[in-house]
Amino acid sequence: FYVSLVLHRFKKCFPALKKDKMNMVKILGGVMMSAALMLSGNIIMAQSTNTKQSTPVRTSPPTRDPHTQGYVAGTELPDGAVPSPDSNGNFIIGPTHNPAPEITERENVPQGRVYQFTMDSKDSKIYPGIAREPGTFGIVDSVNPARLIVTTSHPAPYIRHVEVYVPKQYIPGTRAPFIVGADGPDHLLFTTLNNLIAEGKVPVMIAISISNGSGDAQGSERGLEYDAMSGVYAEFVEKEVLPLVERKCQVQLTKDPEGRATMGGSSGGSCALIMAWYHPEWYHRVLTYSGTYINQQWPYNPATPHGAWEFHEHLIPESAVKPIRIWMEVGDRDLYNPNVMRDNMHDWVVANENMAKVLAAKDYSYQFIFARNAGHVDYKVKQQTLPEALEWLWKGYEEVRE
């Protein structure tokens, strides 16, 4: 039918070919063959593009207004100010972010010692190592747009770096409180602790700054460690990292969850909460910058199908209150849809706003900072707020003799 129709139209357009049907058929056949090849090529190219799983191009996120409808109501502080470490709730800071005086190294305060060591993936029973092929990402599941299919991840070795800050005031043989940080080393944390400990604003505490196992997001070692909604990373720290810290740094670490804190930024931030959520018998204090409370978990887990978005969607609202104290920050230009997924669960500002909302509804002890003129895990904001955040985080801590 379609061939006859095309022939009819073709003869109308080219009357000279009416009498020469053979030539007309040859010409038409060539046109149709060319069209078929072009169509076939387009299909092949489309399939090739999908299977390649190329890395998505990030666009600049929009600037969000802290007074947007649906956001939590926050106390707007004078420009350059930060909240009191004695206050809970929601606060808006900026647009100026001057560094706090406590982040500057001071010669007149006791200086802690920083130990360094590495961990080889071949020695880990929990994380032997994976990596995603360079230049690849994943394909959105056509049936479930909230699920990313990654086929380019494979076993791969890594070397993990660990730095441990031990304050000058630490008394050998005693069990010390400590904080575990993601994406180490974090020298800003070490300097800040020197000053805060000297001022008596935080306890004499050890800081353990652990690097990730490389890569980022789905299919990577970092993504597997930080974005998975389970207690596995906390168990890795407990079983494989902390014993090394005690042995190599000649310290003893407290078993009291009130004396144990976690911290991190981006996926390291959501990881900090994941550690405490799945193991509250180990950690009660959490500090996060631009926490990735979004749908980034991989491999897919039907128990938590939306990854860390589940924290504010289901887990916190539907669970009994856990003994967790949490400090959070997000920037007005924080990440928004940075990859191929368009599941309405990739807005870092909305995610952190939702976190503040559900934490308040469940009467958690929390402090939430919305920072104007700030990007993702904004370093200037961290320089401005880290001392206050740490002081707030450790409020109410009373050392238990062990």
Side-chain angles (χ1 to χ4, degrees), residues 83-234:
S84 164
D86 296 316
S87 58
N88 290 349
N90 313 309
F91 299 89
I92 303 165
I93 67 170
T96 305
H97 304 292
N98 294 321
E102 294 91 345
I103 71 162
T104 302
E105 190 170 320
R106 301 169 181 170
E107 294 182 359
N108 62 336
V109 302
Q111 302 294 305
R113 179 178 176 182
V114 176
Y115 295 80
Q116 301 178 355
F117 62 88
T118 60
M119 300 175 66
D120 195 312
S121 58
K122 72 178 189 307
D123 298 323
S124 177
K125 294 180 179 179
I126 298 175
Y127 291 124
I130 62 169
R132 191 179 66 238
E133 283 295 321
T136 68
F137 187 58
I139 303 170
V140 178
D141 189 334
S142 59
V143 178
N144 179 6
R147 179 179 181 180
L148 191 75
I149 299 172
V150 179
T151 61
T152 57
S153 182
H154 55 79
Y158 64 84
I159 297 293
R160 189 187 307 276
H161 296 266
V162 181
E163 293 198 9
V164 181
Y165 163 87
V166 179
K168 185 76 171 179
Q169 298 91 331
Y170 171 69
I171 301 173
T174 62
R175 291 197 176 273
F178 64 91
I179 186 167
V180 174
D183 292 318
D186 189 345
H187 296 146
L188 180 64
L189 172 64
F190 302 160
T191 300
T192 303
L193 286 177
N194 272 336
N195 296 324
L196 292 180
I197 291 171
E199 295 172 4
K201 292 181 176 179
V202 298
V204 177
M205 58 187 289
I206 291 167
I208 303 162
S209 194
I210 308 168
S211 75
N212 62 71
S214 77
D216 187 34
Q218 294 94 327
S220 72
E221 179 64 31
R222 181 178 186 267
L224 181 65
E225 295 169 6
Y226 291 176
D227 295 320
M229 294 291 285
S230 73
V232 175
Y233 184 75

Side-chain angles (χ1 to χ4, degrees), residues 25-45:
V25 170
K26 286 181 179 179
I27 294 170
L28 179 61
V31 171
M32 294 179 72
M33 180 65 72
S34 298
L37 287 171
M38 289 173 64
L39 179 60
S40 173
N42 284 339
I43 292 172
I44 292 170
M45 286 173 65

Side-chain angles (χ1 to χ4, degrees), residues 2 11 177 184 272 289 309 325 332 375 379 399:
Y2 290 107
K11 285 190 289 184
Y289 285 92
W309 189 270
R325 180 177 178 86
D332 62 353
Y379 193 65
E399 187 174 358

Side-chain angles (χ1 to χ4, degrees), residues 44-370:
I44 292 170
M45 286 173 65
Q47 290 175 340
S48 175
T49 300
N50 283 339
T51 55
K52 186 180 179 182
Q53 305 181 10
S54 58
T55 303
V57 178
R58 289 189 178 185
T59 57
S60 298
T63 300
R64 270 61 67 88
D65 184 344
H67 301 297
T68 298
Q69 185 175 0
Y71 288 9
V72 294
T75 301
E76 190 131 18
L77 300 179
D79 189 20
V82 295
S84 164
D86 296 316
S87 58
N88 290 349
N90 313 309
F91 299 89
I92 303 165
I93 67 170
T96 305
H97 304 292
N98 294 321
E102 294 91 345
I103 71 162
T104 302
E105 190 170 320
R106 301 169 181 170
E107 294 182 359
N108 62 336
V109 302
Q111 302 294 305
R113 179 178 176 182
V114 176
Y115 295 80
Q116 301 178 355
F117 62 88
T118 60
M119 300 175 66
D120 195 312
S121 58
K122 72 178 189 307
D123 298 323
S124 177
K125 294 180 179 179
I126 298 175
Y127 291 124
I130 62 169
R132 191 179 66 238
E133 283 295 321
T136 68
F137 187 58
I139 303 170
V140 178
D141 189 334
S142 59
V143 178
N144 179 6
R147 179 179 181 180
L148 191 75
I149 299 172
V150 179
T151 61
T152 57
S153 182
H154 55 79
Y158 64 84
I159 297 293
R160 189 187 307 276
H161 296 266
V162 181
E163 293 198 9
V164 181
Y165 163 87
V166 179
K168 185 76 171 179
Q169 298 91 331
Y170 171 69
I171 301 173
T174 62
R175 291 197 176 273
F178 64 91
I179 186 167
V180 174
D183 292 318
D186 189 345
H187 296 146
L188 180 64
L189 172 64
F190 302 160
T191 300
T192 303
L193 286 177
N194 272 336
N195 296 324
L196 292 180
I197 291 171
E199 295 172 4
K201 292 181 176 179
V202 298
V204 177
M205 58 187 289
I206 291 167
I208 303 162
S209 194
I210 308 168
S211 75
N212 62 71
S214 77
D216 187 34
Q218 294 94 327
S220 72
E221 179 64 31
R222 181 178 186 267
L224 181 65
E225 295 169 6
Y226 291 176
D227 295 320
M229 294 291 285
S230 73
V232 175
Y233 184 75
E235 292 156 16
F236 163 73
V237 171
E238 194 72 19
K239 296 175 182 178
E240 298 191 9
V241 180
L242 299 188
L244 282 178
V245 169
E246 290 190 318
R247 186 168 71 250
K248 291 179 176 292
C249 307
Q250 300 175 346
V251 297
Q252 294 184 35
L253 303 170
T254 184
K255 302 293 185 183
D256 177 15
E258 279 291 302
R260 290 166 156 228
T262 61
M263 71 174 288
S266 192
S267 288
S270 51
C271 173
L273 178 56
I274 290 168
M275 291 175 71
W277 184 264
Y278 287 96
H279 282 292
E281 77 280 13
W282 289 342
Y283 300 99
H284 284 181
R285 303 174 190 273
V286 178
L287 191 160
T288 79
Y289 285 92
S290 298
T292 300
Y293 303 116
I294 58 103
N295 180 25
Q296 193 164 287
Q297 176 174 236
W298 183 89
Y300 180 80
N301 183 352
T304 50
H306 297 159
W309 189 270
E310 295 281 349
F311 272 130
H312 45 90
E313 185 179 33
H314 294 121
L315 293 178
I316 295 173
E318 298 171 10
S319 301
V321 175
K322 299 195 177 190
I324 296 173
R325 180 177 178 86
I326 179 169
W327 187 97
M328 305 184 303
E329 177 273 346
V330 76
D332 62 353
R333 296 192 310 276
D334 227 300
L335 297 185
Y336 177 74
N337 280 350
N339 62 40
V340 297
M341 299 183 76
R342 294 295 180 269
D343 55 4
N344 295 318
M345 290 180 282
H346 279 81
D347 186 333
W348 269 249
V349 175
V350 168
N352 280 268
E353 289 280 345
N354 288 347
M355 285 291 293
K357 195 178 301 182
V358 297
L359 289 169
K362 298 291 283 193
D363 201 28
Y364 273 85
S365 292
Y366 80 96
Q367 190 177 92
F368 171 54
I369 307 295
F370 184 105

